[in-house]
Amino acid sequence: MDRLSVVLPAYNEELMVGKACRVVGKILAEAGISYELVVVDDGSKDRTWDEIVKAGKKDPCVLGVHFSRNFGKEAAVFAGLAQATGNVVAVMDCDLQHPPQTLLKMYRLWQEGYEVIEGVKSDRGKEGFLHKKCAGFFYDIMTRATKIDMKNASDFKMMDRKAVDSLLSMPERNMFFRATSSWVGFKTASVEFEVQEREAGQSKWSAWSLIKYAFTNIVAFTTVPLQFITVAGLICFLCSLVLIIYSLVQYFTGHAVEGYTTIILVLLLIGSAVMISLGIIGYYIAKIYEEVKHRPRYIISRIVRGGQDEYGQINHDRKRGTYL
Ligand code: UDP
Ligand code: MG
């Protein structure tokens, strides 16, 4: 018997999480799909967890997972995938910005034999001008890095158990779900959807957290910034060749004393190039350090299914996202 697990990461979503469970549950039940809702509370500071427990008491198909603190959306998605038991798993935001009706379309494609079904934004919803430009720039880099068109990619996806297991078996702690789920390959289809307005609560991303997110994911997917350093080095070398020739000519024609400004400029330029390069290398080293520590991806502090405590029945590795 086929079963669809829907993973819903939730951070401070007390206003939305109950409704999301109700709406998604109703749509799937009406379509006659056997389902499970895996709601991951990413260490919320409001009443989100109470709402999840309440939703579980009404609908036994709700599995609530509670993190010991906020580990971020990627970790929450990963934990949801790890706890999901269905043979097909969907991931969607719990603010209902991803229209739940689209799940039915995705499910039909899965029945037709597709193994990864991507939700693609038909437009990016309401976003400020600067936000749009920055997001565009970020996705340009990511598209090049992953060689997968990421322009309108989203975290709204449905995946066959095979694809989920291949994601779960990846050792890296720093997982960019949106790109990695395409990277694993498999028979892929995409479904367009319109980003809905957020009904209640507010976006959990600040400009700063988005910038950090962008850098982390670029570094997780490509080493091109390291090659920039080589290119910058080459450019510096070519410039110095010109300067060397110029200085020699000056020396032999007897105008050598001038050129103090040139020296200062060259020193400053090369100094900053070296420091920026060290910074880029340092950033990669920091990421390597984080991976090497092998800290758990997340720590689960509570699990309830249908409002009943299930913490004792989950094995230790599942509680921490450390499988390897
Ligand atoms: N989210 C999360 N942990 C976080 C930030 C966000 O689990 O640290 C969840 C959030 O509850 C929502 C989804 O990720 O279900 C998308 O977040 P949001 O709606 O704030 O992002 P936006 O739609 O503005 O991109
Ligand atoms: Mg949202």
Side-chain angles (χ1 to χ4, degrees), residues 13 93 95 97 198 203-204:
E13 300 278 7
D93 285 359
D95 53 10
Q97 282 189 291
R198 191 181 244 284
S203 175
K204 306 295 176 293

Side-chain angles (χ1 to χ4, degrees), residues 74-90:
E74 301 292 321
V77 167
F78 209 87
L81 294 177
Q83 302 303 330
T85 55
N87 48 346
V88 50
V89 183

Side-chain angles (χ1 to χ4, degrees), residues 8-13 40-42 70-74 76 92-95 97-98 178 198 202-205:
L8 300 142
Y11 179 53
N12 293 346
E13 300 278 7
V40 185
D41 179 349
D42 186 9
N70 181 243
F71 281 92
K73 185 181 177 187
E74 301 292 321
M92 66 189 284
D93 285 359
C94 83
D95 53 10
Q97 282 189 291
H98 297 159
R178 200 170 297 189
R198 191 181 244 284
Q202 41 184 273
S203 175
K204 306 295 176 293
W205 300 91

